Amino acid sequence: MTVKQILKRPEILAPAGTLEKLKTAINYGADAVYIGGNAYSLRSRAGNFSYEEMAEGVCFAKKHNAKVYVAANMITHEANQAGAGDFFQKIRDIGVAAVIISDPALVEICITEAPGLAVHLSTQASAANYETLEFWRNEGLERVVLAREVSMKEVAEIRQHTSVELEAFIHGAMCISYSGRCTLSNHMSMRDANRGGCSQSCRWKYDLFDLPFGTERNYFTENKTSEKFSMSAVDLSMIEHLPDLIQNGVDSLKIEGRMKSIHYVSTVANVYKKAVDSYMADPKHYSCQQEWIDELWKVAQRELSTGFYYHIPTENEQLFGPRRKIPQYKFIGEVISYDKDTQIATIRQRNVFNLGDRIEFYGPGMRHFTQQVAEMHNEQGESIGRAPHPMMILTMPVKQAVQVGDMIRKQK
């Protein structure tokens, strides 16, 4: 079978913690976004959507040929299922394309009480073999989000034995627990990680202690190490391995991060859109570009690795020991209008910047350029040397044409 016969363009699926992030993700290349509703989601601190916001998001997505999925992936306890049928019916009628669920009770409720709403199995359900995928296909699910512990070899085998759609994570934070099922937060901060309240206890720093044999339990001797200990994994990045995922039949490439900023969402969606388009245009001559990798590092918060795809993670995939210095960029503004005759851009400020700063403009399609802030004016037309106020409106000349929605950042 030839490459051309088996290749299918995968969907780029981006996180959208708010309506603003939803629109940003789609404008920067996402084919679909996943959001949280006002119930049943694992991100209680994200800007979860009201029904009215969902409707606006779905309308915007449809205008741009994109889809909206709703995450309802919490593990339910007794009485948590109350009202789930009504919730699923409402989001179906709004036009949501699918709901992402891990709990079998919620799956059953959705299928029986909201027929017509597609169900995708969440990664929280730990689907790691094709027999499991076949079980869920027979239950009526059309897509399964693979467990993050699945290897690339297993992805290939799964694809050969099932027709269910495959969704796989390609970028973002990795959980230290198996498929995210953790109780550290429950015990340390009384916040249930599996019902949306994770306090990310694994990301905390810990001292190491010895407990000599035979000593009382309350007698500890501090380990004399300068390295603080954490249980924290580095982040995932598959930008250099997209051909493996596409050739092995992954239908949807998922980016983690519903609580991340529009700077993060726009950058990551932009890069993977460019990479996927480049590969699909010419698979035989495709190569990952260094500028794509560099771009992702501009929004990286931790080291990056390939997770479980090619080997079992070692200490090199943990936040322990010497770390690579990550370039720090901050999001400072967005373009809200541009006058091509005067080459003046009107900007909404997001973080402080000053006259003389070196800044970078970027937009969809990997358009970007840098320039120095030579002059800027406030809304009253007064010349200013500093933009200190959040969301203030200002103007500045730009050396290249920009578009509404283009972002601006600067290296710290």
Side-chain angles (χ1 to χ4, degrees), residues 7 28 52 61 64 79 125 127 148 176 219 249 274 281 305 310 372 379 385 389:
L7 282 187
Y28 276 78
E52 293 76 17
H64 293 80
R148 299 194 201 193
I176 198 66
Y219 177 78
K274 183 70 172 181
S305 79
Y310 299 104
Q372 192 172 35
E379 282 190 279
H389 306 302

Side-chain angles (χ1 to χ4, degrees), residues 228-241:
K228 296 288 188 180
F229 172 75
S230 79
M231 293 166 276
S232 190
V234 302
D235 287 358
L236 175 69
S237 178
M238 289 294 286
I239 187 61
E240 297 182 68
H241 304 278

Side-chain angles (χ1 to χ4, degrees), residues 321-338:
R323 299 180 185 89
R324 171 177 171 176
K325 187 176 172 126
I326 296 174
Q328 296 291 314
Y329 284 77
K330 71 175 181 177
F331 173 44
I332 61 170
E334 59 190 316
V335 176
I336 58 175
S337 70
Y338 172 67

Side-chain angles (χ1 to χ4, degrees), residues 263 298 328-332 351-353 408-412:
H263 178 212
K298 292 176 182 178
Q328 296 291 314
Y329 284 77
K330 71 175 181 177
F331 173 44
I332 61 170
N351 273 297
V352 177
F353 63 99
I408 315 166
R409 61 186 164 211
K410 61 173 277 191
Q411 189 165 4
K412 291 183 181 179

Side-chain angles (χ1 to χ4, degrees), residues 26 30-32 59-67:
I26 292 172
D31 302 296
C59 182
F60 181 87
K62 287 182 176 179
K63 286 180 180 178
H64 293 80
N65 298 312
K67 296 178 180 179

